[in-house]
Amino acid sequence: MKLLLLLKLLALELTLVCVHAEGETSATRKNVNLKKIEGKWYSVGLASDKREMIEEHGSMRVFVEDIHVFENSSLAFKFHTKKNGECTALNFVCDETDKDGEYFVEYHGQNKFNMLDTDYDGYIIFHLRNFKRMETFQLMELYGREQDLSSNIKEKFTELCKKHGIVEENILDLTEADRCLQARGGGKA
C-alpha cells in the first residue's frame, strides 16, 4: 500500500516537473507574431535524443530554406536534404493542432512541434516530437537569418536542448556541413 502511494506521488511529481519545464521554454502563439517568422532561413544547429536521425543519411537531417505563413496560421516549410549525394527539395505544410502554438506534420511518422524562442530578425528555435510505431524521439532545430549565428545564440540553443534532455554530444553545429546551399533559390553556395 505504501509502495503504491509512493509511486503515485512520484508520478505526480514527474508530471509537475514536465509541465513546469515545458512552460519555461514554450513560446505560446499569443506571444508570437507568425508573419515575422516568414522568409528565408538557414539551418545552423540540429539536436536529437536519437542522434542517428540527424547524422549524415539520417531521415531528419534536413536544411531549411524558407518558411511561409498562411492566413489560417498553417506553416509551409521548404527544406533540402541529401539523397545519394544529391540535394533534394522537401516541402511541407504544417497545420496547427488544438493546442495553442503547436503544429503537426507527417514525415517519417507523426510530428508535433512548437517554437521555443525567436527574435524574428536573427534566429528561431523549434522543438519537435516524432511518433512512429510506438517509438518516439525529439528533435530541436536552430535556424538563422544568416548562415551562422553568434556564440551566445548557439549557447542558448545548447541550454534549451539540455533542458529537454538532449545531451551535448547529440547537438550538431551545421555551419561546416554541406547544407545544400547551392540548391537554394538564388542563394549563395
Side-chain angles (χ1 to χ4, degrees):
M1 184 70 155
K2 287 182 182 179
L3 180 60
L4 182 59
L5 181 59
L6 180 62
L7 288 174
K8 285 183 179 181
L9 285 172
L10 285 173
L12 176 62
E13 189 173 319
L14 182 60
T15 301
L16 291 173
V17 167
C18 290
V19 168
H20 177 71
E22 183 176 325
E24 283 183 351
T25 59
S26 293
T28 62
R29 181 120 179 276
K30 293 175 208 123
N31 299 338
V32 175
N33 182 341
L34 288 177
K35 277 295 186 188
K36 287 185 173 183
I37 69 167
E38 197 164 60
K40 300 294 181 194
W41 292 94
Y42 294 90
S43 294
V44 175
L46 196 55
S48 179
D49 55 4
K50 197 170 181 182
R51 186 179 169 106
E52 63 270 18
M53 303 306 287
I54 60 171
E55 290 178 333
E56 282 195 45
H57 310 294
S59 64
M60 301 305 263
R61 190 176 177 99
V62 296
F63 311 106
V64 70
E65 178 177 345
D66 189 77
I67 300 174
H68 175 75
V69 180
F70 292 101
E71 290 298 319
N72 68 354
S73 296
S74 291
L75 302 176
F77 287 82
K78 181 176 183 180
F79 291 103
H80 296 278
T81 189
K82 300 232 13 179
K83 296 236 185 211
N84 301 321
E86 303 261 333
C87 292
T88 306
L90 293 170
N91 294 292
F92 299 106
V93 173
C94 310
D95 296 315
E96 195 170 22
T97 68
D98 292 337
K99 190 174 177 183
D100 207 22
E102 179 182 75
Y103 289 84
F104 175 84
V105 66
E106 289 263 352
Y107 176 71
H108 290 278
Q110 298 179 346
N111 299 278
K112 290 183 178 181
F113 68 92
N114 63 307
M115 186 184 340
L116 295 184
D117 195 17
T118 186
D119 70 353
Y120 302 110
D121 297 324
Y123 74 94
I124 190 169
I125 299 173
F126 286 103
H127 177 258
L128 175 143
R129 285 205 165 275
N130 174 282
F131 305 92
K132 184 177 179 183
R133 294 191 204 116
M134 304 299 287
E135 289 186 32
T136 185
F137 67 87
Q138 59 183 332
L139 175 85
M140 292 185 64
E141 298 169 290
L142 172 62
Y143 301 159
R145 292 284 189 184
E146 301 294 328
Q147 292 183 31
D148 201 356
L149 293 169
S150 72
S151 58
N152 289 344
I153 300 301
K154 289 179 181 180
E155 178 85 17
K156 180 185 274 196
F157 178 66
T158 298
E159 291 307 312
L160 281 172
C161 290
K162 288 178 181 177
K163 278 186 179 181
H164 283 85
I166 298 174
V167 295
E168 198 157 354
E169 301 82 58
N170 290 6
I171 304 170
L172 305 181
D173 183 333
L174 298 174
T175 56
E176 298 299 319
D178 179 358
R179 296 178 281 171
C180 294
L181 298 180
Q182 69 280 6
R184 294 171 67 97
K188 302 177 262 184

